[in-house]
Amino acid sequence: MSAQNTQGLEISNLMKRLGDNAVVKGISLTARRGELVCLLGPSGCGKTTTLRMIGGFLSPDSGSISLGGLDITELPPERRPTAMVFQNYALWPHMTVYKNVAFGLRLRRLPKTEINDRVDAVLKMVNLVHAKDRHPGALSGGEQQRVALARALVLEPQLLLLDEPLSNLDAKLRVEVREEIREIQQRLAITTVFVTHDQDEALSISDRIAVMSGGRIEQYSDPDSLYRRPESRFVAGFVGSMNILSGRIVAGGITLGPDGVFIPCDDAVLANYGGDGGEWEVAFRLEDVDVQSAGGLTSLPHRGSVARQVSHGHFKEVLVEVGEHTSIRAYLGPDVDLSGPVVVSVRRLLLYRDGALCYESHPASGRGQPTGGESLPGGAGLTSSSPSGSLR
Ligand SMILES: Nc1ncnc2c1ncn2[C@@H]1O[C@H](COP(=O)(O)OP(=O)(O)OP(=O)(O)O)[C@@H](O)[C@H]1O
Ligand SMILES: [Mg+2]
């Protein structure tokens, strides 16, 4: 174990079967002290199961968990320096907010004055002083959520475990509370594992994100790397909005979809990937697509038309039909009006084969690069799971 990680969380090759299901299939992950790590993944991928093992509520079949350099794999929850916030709050309805928050400290038989001071401080921290004497039934959803958070924070855990803690809040409150959690977590430097299936939430509050699928971690990266450089086809499709189409590399760009529509891409190195003539899964972000009025250039082969647009206020998302069976999504400014023919080009793209990232382009520097030491392709076609060429 590295010196850097001895103060944090280190999970090694955790496995768990539940009934007939291999639910967690070898999870390894480290979190530095004070780091907030998200477990992000679709429903059923094993996030809660992993979190419950970290909290001691479920015993792993194999693997180990250590915190601050100490192996806690065999410790029961109450003997771990952890606190867990459950998705459904689990507040005691017959107790006031104050008593709910004080409960854990009273179990620890702390002196009354210390309990008072700590509860007051934490209620102030989560902005709930006004609701101190109310019962949970007289609180809004967001306030109840903050009580659950206060109840965990007041224990001053070494490790905070949060299972979808915002899932029952409306969109605005969700953003407010997640920023509050992040602020408190950073101020107190509490190592935190935060479970969510909401990628926006994960991207906005995490130091690092572990994207999970089928009981495994697909990628563990900081939010920017995860977004810009998804290492697998799964992550490319799961994190952020992405155009993913089957395509071939030709001089000056790509041909996409069943129509073989030519789309220019200004990347000198990309052309080397056309050598085998084989198909790739070509992925590019909506913000990496340029859509412009075709003007007098209507004879260009890659002209298309804007078939649909959805306003998001400060920008709009458009669907551009570039071929009979091929469409591309892109972002436009709120006032850009493209009613006539348009031309489309792509600034930056990623190439996947057999589910793995093989190439990312860096057109700004005029240089792309193969990923993972991969040599130029040898002609293998795409697997049967490749997209049909229409937008997902
Ligand atoms: N007691 C059990 N017996 C058998 N299978 C189980 C049991 N508990 C959970 N599972 C299965 O394990 C898988 C992972 O469950 P888990 O609760 O960890 O998923 P999750 O990633 O938290 O999903 P969600 O986002 O829906 O909360 C699911 O397919 C679930 O059906
Ligand atoms: Mg869950």
Side-chain angles (χ1 to χ4, degrees):
M1 190 184 297
S2 71
Q4 192 179 33
N5 286 326
T6 52
Q7 294 306 306
L9 172 69
E10 182 147 345
I11 296 170
S12 178
N13 206 20
L14 220 50
M15 304 220 196
K16 186 67 186 175
R17 287 188 79 84
L18 290 171
D20 292 336
N21 298 337
V23 174
V24 172
K25 302 175 187 163
I27 296 275
S28 296
L29 174 144
T30 59
R32 289 185 284 272
R33 185 166 173 274
E35 202 172 22
L36 188 154
V37 167
C38 264
L39 303 182
L40 172 69
S43 185
C45 72
K47 305 179 297 292
T48 295
T49 307
T50 303
L51 201 71
R52 288 170 67 85
M53 288 192 279
I54 303 172
F57 299 97
L58 202 59
S59 172
D61 296 336
S62 60
S64 66
I65 303 163
S66 69
L67 190 61
L70 290 175
D71 190 327
I72 59 166
T73 318
E74 303 297 329
L75 290 183
E78 65 277 10
R79 293 194 47 217
R80 298 185 183 207
T82 58
M84 183 145 162
V85 175
F86 296 90
Q87 182 171 349
N88 60 4
Y89 314 155
L91 302 178
W92 288 286
H94 59 287
M95 291 186 195
T96 63
V97 166
Y98 179 90
K99 285 187 175 164
N100 262 283
V101 176
F103 187 79
L105 298 180
R106 287 166 73 179
L107 274 188
R108 294 181 184 188
R109 300 188 183 287
L110 294 186
K112 226 173 178 171
T113 51
E114 186 180 344
I115 294 179
N116 265 332
D117 290 351
R118 278 171 67 167
V119 173
D120 281 349
V122 84
L123 287 179
K124 209 166 152 196
M125 198 184 289
V126 299
N127 209 3
L128 271 181
V129 176
H130 63 285
K132 188 174 168 178
D133 298 319
R134 284 196 225 158
H135 287 80
L139 299 176
S140 73
E143 287 166 336
Q144 291 180 41
Q145 183 57 62
R146 282 181 279 157
V147 177
L149 189 63
R151 203 172 50 175
L153 288 172
V154 81
L155 300 174
E156 297 177 3
Q158 208 174 321
L159 180 66
L160 183 61
L161 304 170
L162 307 171
D163 193 356
E164 307 258 7
L166 312 176
S167 54
N168 294 330
L169 309 190
D170 68 50
K172 187 162 177 286
L173 200 55
R174 223 180 144 108
V175 172
E176 280 172 22
V177 179
R178 83 185 181 204
E179 283 169 6
E180 255 167 44
I181 291 177
R182 178 58 161 160
E183 199 272 321
I184 293 167
Q185 179 271 332
Q186 284 186 315
R187 182 147 42 87
L188 302 182
I190 303 174
T191 313
T192 301
V193 183
F194 188 116
V195 164
T196 181
H197 60 259
D198 180 333
Q199 38 138 338
D200 267 352
E201 202 161 279
L203 289 169
S204 61
I205 61 169
S206 307
D207 292 302
R208 282 192 285 177
I209 300 170
V211 179
M212 290 180 61
S213 167
R216 292 196 172 87
I217 292 179
E218 287 265 332
Q219 182 169 351
Y220 187 37
S221 300
D222 66 90
D224 288 346
S225 310
L226 192 72
Y227 186 81
R228 287 304 274 172
R229 196 173 179 281
E231 284 164 12
S232 71
R233 164 67 178 79
F234 174 84
V235 177
F238 192 73
V239 177
S241 291
M242 188 83 101
N243 291 288
I244 306 181
L245 296 94
S246 59
R248 295 172 199 278
I249 309 306
V250 294
I254 40 180
T255 57
L256 287 182
D259 304 310
V261 180
F262 173 76
I263 303 288
C265 181
D266 184 17
D267 178 340
V269 185
L270 182 66
N272 296 339
Y273 279 69
D276 67 350
E279 276 198 327
W280 297 91
E281 290 189 84
V282 182
F284 45 97
R285 295 263 178 227
L286 279 63
E287 61 270 31
D288 290 327
V289 179
D290 273 333
V291 186
Q292 288 176 323
S293 172
L297 306 172
T298 49
S299 64
L300 280 180
H302 50 274
R303 79 192 175 96
S305 60
V306 174
R308 254 191 290 139
Q309 24 186 313
V310 178
S311 174
H312 293 273
H314 56 301
F315 70 97
K316 57 187 170 190
E317 182 179 335
V318 295
L319 183 76
V320 185
E321 286 178 350
V322 292
E324 202 181 337
H325 305 286
T326 311
S327 307
I328 289 173
R329 290 177 299 152
Y331 293 137
L332 290 183
D335 301 324
V336 181
D337 180 22
L338 295 173
S339 48
V342 295
V343 288
V344 174
S345 61
V346 174
R347 278 190 299 274
R348 178 178 185 274
L349 53 77
L350 303 149
L351 299 181
Y352 294 86
R353 189 167 275 172
D354 297 334
L357 177 64
C358 297
Y359 178 82
E360 60 170 322
S361 67
H362 295 285
S365 65
R367 297 175 63 83
Q369 68 185 38
T371 60
E374 168 109 351
S375 58
L376 288 182
L382 282 179
T383 58
S384 59
S385 61
S386 60
S388 65
S390 58
L391 281 172
R392 292 169 309 116

